Amino acid sequence: MMNQTNLEKIKILDDKEAFYFYSSIGNYTGHKAHSLKEFEQALFKVDQKSLEFHLFREDFEKWIRFSLKEEALAKKVEALRKQNVTGKLLRNWLYTHVKQHNKTLNKPYKPQPTTAKVTYKNKNFRKTTPAHSS
């Protein structure tokens, strides 16, 4: 079962902020995504031309960055765009990285220990007792 912290990380957007897939300006494909999971599922439903259209307009990275607040994934999509990837490779790359990111978001939350460990990098360091003057 997912805990509250993970639920907060997974964003489900309303229709106003959902991603709408177009094949060109004004040509809606009929597919939209309210979440990263829906986006992942839509990647094999929409035409490759739609993926290319949105990639090179920077639509994917902007939606992921500003609506979903997933900066790490947005940077990966930005790097993909700069490499001019198209066709099946584009679809497969997007699907692989979005799916991997979704898995990361769905991992059980493990709180980090609150106690800090002190480590010394200098191996020659040794503790000495302070000299007391009498």
Side-chain angles (χ1 to χ4, degrees), residues 8 19 22 38 75 97 124 133:
E8 290 170 2
F19 191 90
Y22 286 80
E38 285 183 11
K75 285 182 179 182
H97 286 275
N124 295 325
S133 54

Side-chain angles (χ1 to χ4, degrees), residues 49-112:
K49 294 295 179 192
S50 176
L51 299 180
E52 293 169 4
F53 172 74
H54 288 294
L55 180 73
F56 295 111
R57 287 173 35 97
E58 302 177 22
D59 296 335
F60 292 149
E61 62 199 75
K62 288 176 184 174
W63 182 71
I64 292 167
R65 178 174 284 126
F66 299 116
S67 295
L68 295 176
K69 310 283 190 240
E70 295 295 339
E71 183 63 27
L73 182 58
K75 285 182 179 182
K76 288 180 182 179
V77 174
E78 180 181 1
L80 177 71
R81 175 180 51 79
K82 290 178 179 178
Q83 293 175 29
N84 293 319
V85 176
T86 60
K88 289 181 182 179
L89 184 59
L90 169 61
R91 184 187 309 275
N92 290 336
W93 188 100
L94 283 170
Y95 179 77
T96 300
H97 286 275
V98 169
K99 184 175 182 163
Q100 180 182 26
H101 197 80
N102 273 324
K103 281 183 181 179
T104 301
L105 291 176
N106 285 302
K107 281 185 180 176
Y109 176 71
K110 292 182 182 176
Q112 297 298 316

Side-chain angles (χ1 to χ4, degrees), residues 34-46:
H34 294 93
S35 66
L36 199 55
K37 186 65 180 172
E38 285 183 11
F39 185 80
E40 174 189 323
Q41 294 166 347
L43 290 173
F44 281 100
K45 295 177 183 175
V46 299

